[in-house]
Amino acid sequence: MLAIEKVRKVFGATTVLDGVELVVEPGEVVSILGSSGSGKSTLIRCINGLERLDGGRITVDGFNVSKPRELAEARKRSGTVFQLFNLYPHMTAVGNVMLAPVEVLKLPKKEAEARARRILDSVGLGPRADAYPAQLSGGQRQRVGLARALAMEPRYLLLDEVTSALDPEMTAEVLGILAELARSGTTMLFVTHEIEFARRISNRIVFLDGGRLVVDLPTAAFFSAAGGMAHPRIAQFLSKMQKD
Ligand SMILES: Nc1ncnc2c1ncn2[C@@H]1O[C@H](COP(=O)(O)OP(=O)(O)OP(=O)(O)O)[C@@H](O)[C@H]1O
Ligand SMILES: [Mg+2]
């Protein structure tokens, strides 16, 4: 499992994560909601070991991300997709997807390429596998980003607003793939502003407010009057999101 225990993160005088507790079990889809600046991306970066913790502990299947000797193992188990695609422009889609399996997992090139083509096919990009990022639409590029994470066969898929740079049509393309992954049992920690989508695919929803994880509820309870909606901050957040 992915275990986040009493995590604290401070930038200068600001406490950005304040005692965050969260456990994600294999097979679960957990969405993280919260206003801009509430600490969602920072939490994802902490899980990756991209930020040093100022307190608490994060383990991925028991591997502590704060211990240099355990970080590589922890990272192998979690794949992350960010808002911006960060593909290598001089490599084709298949080149981007096979890179980490070759460099990190030491797969033979032929095997890595076959895996990359199979995964690109599964996200609907089989026919575009040899295109360069500049020749792809935003939605296609984000699907390459997703394929690149999936090529490492992560136990946990971390997604940070993967559709927020996309127009509605491209968003639908990418969400379709994510829904498919959720159905097939992929474990996901999903930061999003797509409330209705989160509601459809999540087992649980957690809400971050000013760095504190104030609510962690099964999806139906999160949206019920007596559950999440009983929290003024969540009711306010959801009504604002639905107006936008
Ligand atoms: N490297 C940094 N140095 C200083 N402050 C930072 C740094 N990274 C993030 N912050 C601050 O930490 C807080 C949380 O930022 P974070 O990016 O985690 O928010 P978020 O919930 O992902 O917001 P958004 O929905 O806008 O993506 C913000 O106040 C932000 O300004
Ligand atoms: Mg963010």
Side-chain angles (χ1 to χ4, degrees):
M1 67 185 182
L2 173 61
I4 297 166
E5 299 164 76
K6 295 197 172 66
V7 162
R8 241 171 78 76
K9 177 67 196 171
V10 178
F11 286 120
T14 318
T15 302
V16 173
L17 295 175
D18 189 2
V20 172
E21 301 261 354
L22 176 65
V23 170
V24 181
E25 303 277 1
E28 280 191 307
V29 176
V30 177
S31 287
I32 304 181
L33 306 184
S35 306
S36 182
S38 58
K40 305 178 299 293
S41 296
T42 304
L43 183 60
I44 298 289
R45 292 172 54 79
C46 286
I47 298 170
N48 272 306
L50 296 171
E51 300 285 356
R52 192 181 50 80
L53 304 186
D54 293 301
R57 196 167 78 128
I58 297 180
T59 56
V60 185
D61 290 342
F63 293 99
N64 188 331
V65 303
S66 302
K67 296 201 171 150
R69 270 186 294 161
E70 298 181 25
L71 179 60
E73 277 306 317
R75 277 198 179 138
K76 264 189 214 166
R77 289 170 164 71
S78 68
T80 311
V81 187
F82 293 101
Q83 174 179 3
L84 295 173
F85 332 114
N86 298 320
L87 300 176
Y88 290 106
H90 60 287
M91 288 182 185
T92 61
V94 76
N96 271 281
V97 175
M98 63 188 277
L99 186 65
V102 170
E103 304 264 303
V104 180
L105 303 182
K106 311 289 178 207
L107 280 195
K109 276 201 172 144
K110 233 177 129 180
E111 201 176 310
E113 183 179 343
R115 181 191 286 194
R117 288 189 185 278
R118 175 169 49 75
I119 293 172
L120 282 166
D121 206 38
S122 77
V123 299
L125 286 178
R128 305 294 284 141
D130 296 300
Y132 287 89
Q135 301 169 321
L136 298 171
S137 74
Q140 289 172 335
R141 270 181 244 171
Q142 191 57 297
R143 282 186 279 155
V144 176
L146 196 54
R148 184 173 54 178
L150 293 173
M152 296 296 283
E153 300 185 337
R155 307 270 300 264
Y156 306 91
L157 193 57
L158 314 178
L159 304 152
D160 189 2
E161 306 215 22
V162 293
T163 60
S164 55
L166 304 177
D167 70 25
E169 199 173 335
M170 294 180 195
T171 295
E173 280 177 7
V174 172
L175 294 183
I177 307 283
L178 295 181
E180 191 61 48
L181 287 169
R183 259 197 305 278
S184 68
T186 307
T187 310
M188 289 194 227
L189 188 55
F190 187 47
V191 173
T192 189
H193 284 125
E194 299 283 339
I195 310 286
E196 280 312 309
F197 182 75
R199 187 176 190 160
R200 273 210 317 279
I201 68 160
S202 309
N203 302 108
R204 261 159 60 216
I205 302 205
V206 303
F207 188 77
L208 265 179
D209 186 26
R212 298 218 320 270
L213 202 153
V214 290
V215 158
D216 178 343
L217 285 171
T219 303
F222 183 88
F223 288 100
S224 74
M229 299 299 270
H231 291 252
R233 283 288 297 125
I234 295 177
Q236 184 191 22
F237 174 79
L238 291 177
S239 77
K240 183 171 165 297
M241 294 299 291
Q242 273 143 10
K243 258 185 262 144
D244 287 350

